Amino acid sequence: MVRRNAFRLPRHPASVGLARRRVRDHLADWGHTPRDPALEDALLLVSELATNVVRHGPLVEREFEVAVTALADGSCLIEVSDEGQLEPRLRTVGNFEEAGRGLHLVENLAAAWGVWSRGRHGKTVWALVAVD
């Protein structure tokens, strides 16, 4: 069985924590326990992707969307959508730089990740959290 939940949040720093809590609650309702590594990874990925929207999303955009899908095998798909056209890209980060490591974290935690274009409606950045 596949279970999906999507919700919209204001483009505000406080929304990152709210996104994390809502995803945690939905995955817990679907059987993921607090010590489940897949749940922990999903929450960290939601934080990173939502933070990217809040920090780098279009200034005129007031909201963004978060979706979480619990798949039948216990893995989950995280999606964060915004109206921006620019795709996030991994970049080289120096040892003393304080920012720029978020997508490296996504790259290392997710079984797969990428960007879907939504045409003139922006993009969706997605990450798949596999069950070990």
Side-chain angles (χ1 to χ4, degrees):
M1 174 187 275
V2 174
R3 296 181 179 173
R4 185 174 195 272
N5 185 276
F7 50 92
R8 297 190 65 76
L9 295 170
R11 188 175 165 259
H12 185 276
S15 292
V16 175
L18 182 56
R20 201 171 39 247
R21 283 188 296 278
R22 291 192 61 180
V23 167
R24 181 195 63 223
D25 291 347
H26 289 298
L27 290 176
D29 287 347
W30 299 335
H32 289 269
T33 62
R35 293 192 179 122
D36 183 348
L39 176 62
E40 292 175 8
D41 289 350
L43 297 179
L44 190 50
L45 289 168
V46 166
S47 287
E48 288 300 323
L49 297 179
T51 297
N52 281 350
V53 169
V54 169
R55 287 189 179 166
H56 307 294
L59 294 177
V60 297
E61 184 176 18
R62 296 180 186 265
E63 292 183 325
F64 65 99
E65 182 175 281
V66 176
V68 57
T69 305
L71 303 171
D73 66 356
S75 60
C76 62
L77 179 67
I78 303 295
E79 301 166 81
V80 178
S81 302
D82 69 7
E83 299 292 326
Q85 299 295 324
L86 293 176
E87 291 188 13
R89 300 201 187 282
L90 288 168
R91 64 183 185 101
T92 303
V93 181
N95 289 336
F96 299 105
E97 290 185 58
E98 294 183 15
R101 291 176 176 79
L103 285 180
H104 291 279
L105 185 62
V106 172
E107 175 85 8
N108 285 302
L109 284 178
W113 75 278
V115 181
W116 292 319
S117 172
R118 296 172 52 217
R120 63 183 180 92
H121 298 289
K123 68 182 174 303
T124 297
V125 182
W126 60 270
L128 178 66
V129 179
V131 176
D132 293 327

